[in-house]
Amino acid sequence: MAQKATIFKAELNIADMNRNYFADHSLTIARHPSETDERMMVRVLAFALQAHAQLQFTRGLSADDEADIWKKDLTGALEVWVDVGLPDEKRVRKACHRARAVFIYAYGGRGAALWWQQNAMQFARFDNLTIVNLAKEETDALAALAERTMQLQCTVQDDQVWLSAGEHTIQIHYEYWQRAQNV
């Protein structure tokens, strides 16, 4: 019998000074049996950084043809495609052809650096692709915040995020490896 996803609930308060976006989101996060706390929490961080009323988690790891997070317009057309991790070039190419804007939140330390080194030239041709790198130490700290029920406060300013859960606050710096030109 296949294992079922574990359900996590998060109340996420976002204050994004970069985009003048201030909102509360009640999130239901299905963590695939093969997904780590680190990956799940990077998805939550990516949600916070892309937050919008129509942004939603998808089936993620359970569906090869879906992003981890996406935003569709009223006609069902993909506006924003968000993946976390180190997707292969074919998946990124497909996403860039399907969505107006594509965001990849890469993490994994040395593995992410090698992935970028191997794919940077192919990715450079996509003018709607943004790739953000997250440091290993900071994604490890994110993973430590994972609980079945979470109250999270997220403040975004410049290229930094402060994420708080109860008594714990972590600061996350992110680095743009590539920024979309047409968005």
Side-chain angles (χ1 to χ4, degrees), residues 28-104:
T28 300
I29 307 151
R31 190 180 81 188
H32 190 273
S34 68
E35 186 173 34
T36 63
D37 284 345
E38 179 183 30
R39 186 179 192 287
M40 180 189 70
M41 292 304 290
V42 171
R43 282 196 299 139
V44 171
L45 175 64
F47 185 97
L49 290 170
Q50 298 299 318
H52 187 278
Q54 285 130 341
L55 195 69
Q56 59 186 347
F57 288 108
T58 67
R59 293 180 293 159
L61 292 175
S62 299
D64 290 339
D65 62 337
E66 292 185 4
D68 289 314
I69 304 166
W70 63 24
K71 182 177 89 168
K72 293 183 175 183
D73 67 15
L74 297 175
T75 68
L78 277 170
E79 290 184 354
V80 177
W81 176 292
V82 180
D83 268 342
V84 302
L86 309 174
D88 65 31
E89 190 271 337
K90 182 179 176 183
R91 180 175 172 85
V92 173
R93 182 177 60 240
K94 181 178 172 182
C96 288
H97 290 347
R98 289 183 63 192
R100 188 178 65 79
V102 177
F103 295 86
I104 308 294

Side-chain angles (χ1 to χ4, degrees), residues 49-179:
L49 290 170
Q50 298 299 318
H52 187 278
Q54 285 130 341
L55 195 69
Q56 59 186 347
F57 288 108
T58 67
R59 293 180 293 159
L61 292 175
S62 299
D64 290 339
D65 62 337
E66 292 185 4
D68 289 314
I69 304 166
W70 63 24
K71 182 177 89 168
K72 293 183 175 183
D73 67 15
L74 297 175
T75 68
L78 277 170
E79 290 184 354
V80 177
W81 176 292
V82 180
D83 268 342
V84 302
L86 309 174
D88 65 31
E89 190 271 337
K90 182 179 176 183
R91 180 175 172 85
V92 173
R93 182 177 60 240
K94 181 178 172 182
C96 288
H97 290 347
R98 289 183 63 192
R100 188 178 65 79
V102 177
F103 295 86
I104 308 294
Y105 288 88
Y107 68 95
R110 183 167 181 230
L114 289 171
W115 170 84
W116 174 243
Q117 192 176 37
Q118 292 170 351
N119 292 289
M121 290 187 62
Q122 293 94 324
F123 292 162
R125 68 180 185 222
F126 302 116
D127 62 358
N128 63 336
L129 176 62
T130 299
I131 300 175
V132 176
N133 181 52
L134 302 166
K136 178 70 173 141
E137 308 79 43
E138 294 171 357
T139 59
D140 287 343
L142 261 178
L145 296 179
E147 294 183 16
R148 294 288 298 271
T149 303
M150 298 177 274
Q151 297 282 330
L152 303 169
Q153 291 76 40
C154 181
T155 304
V156 181
Q157 187 169 7
D158 300 323
D159 293 337
Q160 297 180 54
V161 177
W162 291 269
L163 191 65
S164 300
E167 300 289 316
H168 304 287
T169 300
I170 59 173
Q171 185 176 4
I172 301 165
H173 299 75
Y174 52 92
E175 174 186 13
Y176 286 99
W177 279 346
Q178 179 173 318
R179 284 191 178 191

